Amino acid sequence: MRQSEAVTRFAAAEGKKRSRRKFRSGDKELTFLALPAVIYIFIFSYLTMFGVIIAFKNYRYDKGIWGSEWVGLDNFKFFFLTEKALIVTRNTVLYNVWFWIVTTFCALLVAILLNEISRKWSKYYQTVMFLPTFVSWVVIMYLAQIFLHHDYGFVNRLLGSIGGERVRWYLEPAYWPMILTLAHLWKSIGFSALVYYAGIVAIDPSYYEAARMDGATRFQMVRKITIPMLAPLITILLIMTIGSMFRGDFGLHFFVSGNSPLLYNTVDIIDTFVYRALSVSGDISMAAAVGLYQSLVGFVLVVAANYTVRKINEENSLW
Amino acid sequence: MNPTASTRSRTGNAVIHSVFLLLSIAIVAPFLLIVSVSLTDEKALTTFGYSFFPSRFSLIAYDFILRTPGVLLRAYGNTILITVTGTLLSLLITSMAAYTISRRDYKWRTALTIYIFFTMLFSGGLVPFYILMTQYLHLKDSLWAIILPGMLSPFYVLIMKGFMGKIPYELIESAKVDGAREWRIFFRMILPLSTPALATLGLFIGFNYWNEWFNALLFIDNDKLVPLQLLLVRIMNTLDFLRNNSEFIQSLGLDMSQLPNESMRMALVILVAGPMMFVFPFFQKYFVQGITVGSLKG
């Protein structure tokens, strides 16, 4: 026993002495392990970051990035002078804020309720709620059609049978904030609830024991223990939301609305706008300018949000 | 059992269960509706509309699709190829990178971590990405255009690193003392030890590839390379196009009423999304584990 201890200690001392040489070769080997990822990230992330100079050029395929002529801020000017800039920015931000509020509220509620019932049942419900997470927006586009189709759609049939007027859903912008909210909630509730549920399960049960001893009611426990204990998690998710405030869910806004031009003012977000500028109107440089605007503001927002949270409570910040 | 459930009153429990029952119905109903429509006779659909119970049962939609399965099978083949190749490659480079930055004694640990995670904060956007893919990597009309873009996500590196960081360092050290080199340690020891994390991430990544449509939409024009999701997009667009251009149909001499187009579309959705819907409940417990294992904060 003692001998082996001595051996370990010796090995440790020896290791320390040799560590420099040994770990240097280890460093090299580890670097080789990371190399594929390093190269991948360089090409797909850093090269595209460098590609933002397209936003300051009049990009032409035949001339390439270097050959295209500089136009300064013209692409930005062109975008910001249209009313589109205001509309898509407003839509992106408002949808994000609204979705965050609705999803957080509902997911927290679901997670708290899940914790109130037996594990067996909560597992069944979770499985069901998880289903839409694994359905693509393309499939949801078809689901939306089934409900909203003008002639055969379920909702219109229902309206017809109770004597109401049929609605041309895909031509009526007014209904879309609500429809998109429902679609978003339907798809994301399972996953969000699970994140919060995992957070609740991780809370030390002795808090609840103590509270029960003191005669706390269920509601008091939720308000005084569960919610405060989940605050860090909620904050982290909020920072991430703020950071992606200028990014929306392309699939939701593009497919669920059927990409219907009459709805653009209500459902269009920066992502769908850029996609259309790129693929339909072929205005590459302006699309790049909008994309850069989106990335820059997103970057500033996430850094600012993290900074603010750090000021208030360092524990809750992302880094 | 959680410690609080026993104190719950019977009526309270009943209320909670009915809330979840309603929620479950709201989530499952659309799926049932789509199944029902796919099984309804086309004529019945045009007269009675979509409903939860087929007003006239018919398998003709499936018959139509499966009689000439070529297009669907090819799309399946593409999607399976993309999913398998993409998931394996992705797991490999993700875990290799995650392991490196999980090693506290690695010299460039901090630098590499920042290098990886900065990409979460800032990106060039869609246009430089599109130009890189088409003009420089020449990946238009190639399945790599779907596989490569989703291969490494910093977020997954973060989760993987969280898991690998918990592997006791003494294990690695003792392997080193036994003369193992880093590659051997990683492939023989770390990877097998990380199976739960690999399984969880693999499932996430696999589902992402299965459901991928965006890059397909951007880069795939060739009919032979269309994956399942893009097939659905195309069919929706084509049928819309045909419906809105009745002259065109007449000039072609096609009789649209012969084609069970509504039910056929829904049948196709079932055939595309169905397999994953059946597979996923079996994997669900891994997801739950994975999320609890991978802490959000690095």
Side-chain angles (χ1 to χ4, degrees):
Chain A
M1 196 65 203
R2 182 162 294 178
Q3 202 182 357
S4 74
E5 229 172 75
V7 168
T8 344
R9 208 171 299 149
F10 173 75
E14 198 62 353
K16 223 173 259 168
K17 220 183 288 168
R18 254 192 260 154
S19 70
R20 199 173 272 179
R21 201 185 66 217
K22 208 171 185 181
F23 284 157
R24 192 162 288 168
S25 75
D27 280 341
K28 210 182 276 167
E29 286 165 27
L30 285 172
T31 306
F32 273 112
L33 271 181
L35 203 59
V38 170
I39 295 170
Y40 177 89
I41 292 172
F42 179 75
I43 295 174
F44 285 92
S45 296
Y46 289 96
L47 273 187
T48 60
M49 281 181 208
F50 164 79
V52 298
I53 58 168
I54 296 165
F56 304 98
K57 292 197 162 204
N58 180 14
Y59 185 78
R60 283 177 47 178
Y61 279 116
D62 53 333
K63 288 184 174 170
I65 294 180
W66 292 119
S68 299
E69 91 187 274
W70 288 98
V71 293
L73 294 173
D74 278 7
N75 292 318
F76 294 90
K77 243 184 247 161
F78 188 71
F79 171 65
F80 285 109
L81 283 180
T82 62
E83 60 169 356
K84 277 279 169 209
L86 184 70
I87 292 171
V88 294
T89 306
R90 178 201 68 190
N91 286 353
T92 314
V93 172
L94 285 185
Y95 274 118
N96 268 321
V97 173
W98 174 237
F99 287 163
W100 186 79
I101 295 171
V102 173
T103 313
T104 307
F105 179 77
C106 295
L108 265 177
L109 191 70
V110 167
I112 289 168
L113 290 181
L114 274 178
N115 192 43
E116 297 291 316
I117 55 178
S118 73
R119 283 285 149 85
K120 195 187 89 191
W121 280 104
S122 93
K123 215 177 270 171
Y124 283 125
Y125 294 139
Q126 278 181 55
T127 309
V128 172
M129 283 189 293
F130 235 139
L131 276 171
T133 313
F134 299 103
V135 178
S136 72
W137 284 118
V138 182
V139 170
I140 295 176
M141 159 175 79
Y142 281 82
L143 289 179
Q145 280 255 321
I146 281 197
F147 280 95
L148 304 176
H149 192 284
H150 177 256
D151 298 323
Y152 320 131
F154 186 73
V155 179
N156 272 356
R157 289 277 161 170
L158 205 66
L159 284 176
S161 69
I162 57 168
E165 283 280 309
R166 291 185 172 190
V167 180
R168 290 199 170 270
W169 298 101
Y170 289 94
L171 310 177
E172 293 281 352
Y175 298 108
W176 281 86
M178 188 183 68
I179 296 169
L180 292 185
T181 308
L182 282 175
H184 179 268
L185 191 64
W186 184 78
K187 189 163 160 58
S188 63
I189 186 81
F191 188 83
S192 306
L194 175 69
V195 172
Y196 288 117
Y197 180 65
I200 293 177
V201 171
I203 297 173
D204 189 348
S206 59
Y207 287 109
Y208 293 105
E209 301 277 349
R212 205 167 37 213
M213 294 284 196
D214 293 341
T217 64
R218 311 280 332 146
F219 187 65
Q220 282 172 325
M221 287 194 216
V222 167
R223 226 184 40 181
K224 301 277 184 190
I225 304 173
T226 314
I227 304 278
M229 294 295 274
L230 286 180
L233 186 62
I234 301 175
T235 330
I236 287 177
L237 295 177
L238 177 61
I239 301 176
M240 287 164 105
T241 309
I242 292 173
S244 53
M245 197 51 86
F246 269 54
R247 277 177 208 294
D249 195 330
F250 180 87
L252 171 65
H253 295 263
F254 187 76
F255 286 127
V256 179
S257 70
N259 194 22
S260 159
L262 275 164
L263 303 177
Y264 284 164
N265 279 350
T266 349
V267 305
D268 223 11
I269 50 172
I270 302 179
D271 303 71
T272 47
F273 180 81
V274 173
Y275 173 79
R276 222 174 306 110
L278 177 71
S279 68
V280 181
S281 47
D283 198 337
I284 300 156
S285 291
M286 193 193 64
V290 182
L292 178 59
Y293 154 67
Q294 191 181 24
S295 289
L296 270 181
V297 181
F299 177 72
V300 171
L301 281 176
V302 75
V303 171
N306 194 62
Y307 177 80
T308 317
V309 173
R310 250 181 111 130
K311 280 274 153 180
I312 300 165
N313 180 357
E314 198 157 340
E315 285 277 293
N316 293 354
S317 65
L318 260 183
W319 68 84
Chain B
M1 276 307 285
N2 64 58
T4 51
S6 51
T7 55
R8 214 141 236 300
S9 69
R10 222 159 241 240
T11 43
N13 257 334
V15 170
I16 294 178
H17 278 288
S18 41
V19 167
F20 278 117
L21 227 56
L22 284 176
L23 200 61
S24 303
I25 291 171
I27 282 167
V28 174
F31 293 114
L32 293 180
L33 199 51
I34 220 168
V35 172
S36 155
V37 172
S38 78
L39 293 171
T40 309
D41 180 73
E42 186 72 12
K43 285 220 179 67
L45 274 184
T46 47
T47 41
F48 303 116
Y50 303 143
S51 64
F52 280 101
F53 298 100
S55 36
R56 216 178 308 141
F57 183 83
S58 155
L59 282 171
I60 191 162
Y62 290 93
D63 187 51
F64 247 93
I65 297 171
L66 297 175
R67 207 181 294 159
T68 46
V71 179
L72 186 67
L73 281 181
R74 201 157 51 204
Y76 254 106
N78 288 332
T79 295
I80 291 170
L81 191 69
I82 291 163
T83 306
V84 172
T85 319
T87 310
L88 290 178
L89 287 176
S90 173
L91 277 181
L92 188 69
I93 72 167
T94 303
S95 54
M96 278 158 70
Y99 173 63
T100 315
I101 58 169
S102 79
R103 277 281 293 270
R104 289 204 182 80
D105 56 327
Y106 178 55
K107 196 169 150 195
W108 294 292
R109 181 175 188 249
T110 325
L112 188 59
T113 310
I114 293 171
Y115 177 80
I116 294 174
F117 293 118
F118 183 70
T119 62
M120 268 173 118
L121 295 180
F122 189 79
S123 79
L126 180 62
V127 179
F129 167 70
Y130 182 82
I131 288 170
L132 174 80
M133 293 287 284
T134 53
Q135 302 295 111
Y136 292 90
L137 302 176
H138 302 288
L139 289 176
K140 205 163 171 71
D141 274 328
S142 145
L143 289 185
W144 287 109
I146 307 175
I147 295 173
L148 282 174
M151 222 162 83
L152 189 98
S153 141
F155 190 68
Y156 292 157
V157 175
L158 194 74
I159 293 176
M160 199 74 198
K161 178 207 155 207
F163 186 88
M164 288 173 159
K166 291 201 183 81
I167 295 173
Y169 185 64
E170 288 74 29
L171 269 177
I172 296 161
E173 215 159 35
S174 70
K176 269 192 181 173
V177 171
D178 290 342
R181 317 269 312 240
E182 299 291 354
W183 279 71
R184 203 182 157 86
I185 294 174
F186 176 74
F187 284 106
R188 287 295 175 80
M189 219 168 75
I190 303 296
L191 272 191
L193 281 174
S194 308
T195 322
L198 287 172
T200 315
L201 278 193
L203 285 167
F204 270 107
I205 297 167
F207 275 110
N208 285 347
Y209 275 119
W210 186 275
N211 284 332
E212 154 62 40
W213 41 264
F214 187 65
N215 294 309
L217 199 64
L218 279 177
F219 301 116
I220 304 294
D221 286 333
N222 187 340
D223 288 336
K224 293 200 168 75
L225 299 174
V226 168
L228 288 173
Q229 308 292 335
L230 185 61
L231 184 70
L232 282 185
V233 178
R234 290 237 179 135
I235 282 172
M236 182 68 102
N237 291 343
T238 314
L239 289 177
D240 281 348
F241 175 77
L242 290 177
R243 198 184 296 129
N244 296 333
N245 294 273
S246 45
E247 287 168 49
F248 178 71
I249 300 161
Q250 277 159 10
S251 75
L252 280 177
L254 278 175
D255 186 2
M256 280 294 275
S257 64
Q258 284 293 304
L259 200 70
N261 96 56
E262 293 300 323
S263 52
M264 204 167 90
R265 288 205 280 185
M266 301 312 161
L268 205 64
V269 173
I270 304 279
L271 292 171
V272 167
M276 275 296 158
M277 291 286 97
F278 280 110
V279 161
F280 125 85
F282 297 103
F283 290 121
Q284 204 226 350
K285 61 172 186 197
Y286 294 108
F287 287 117
V288 180
Q289 268 175 14
I291 285 170
T292 7
V293 165
S295 65
L296 273 164
K297 200 165 166 173

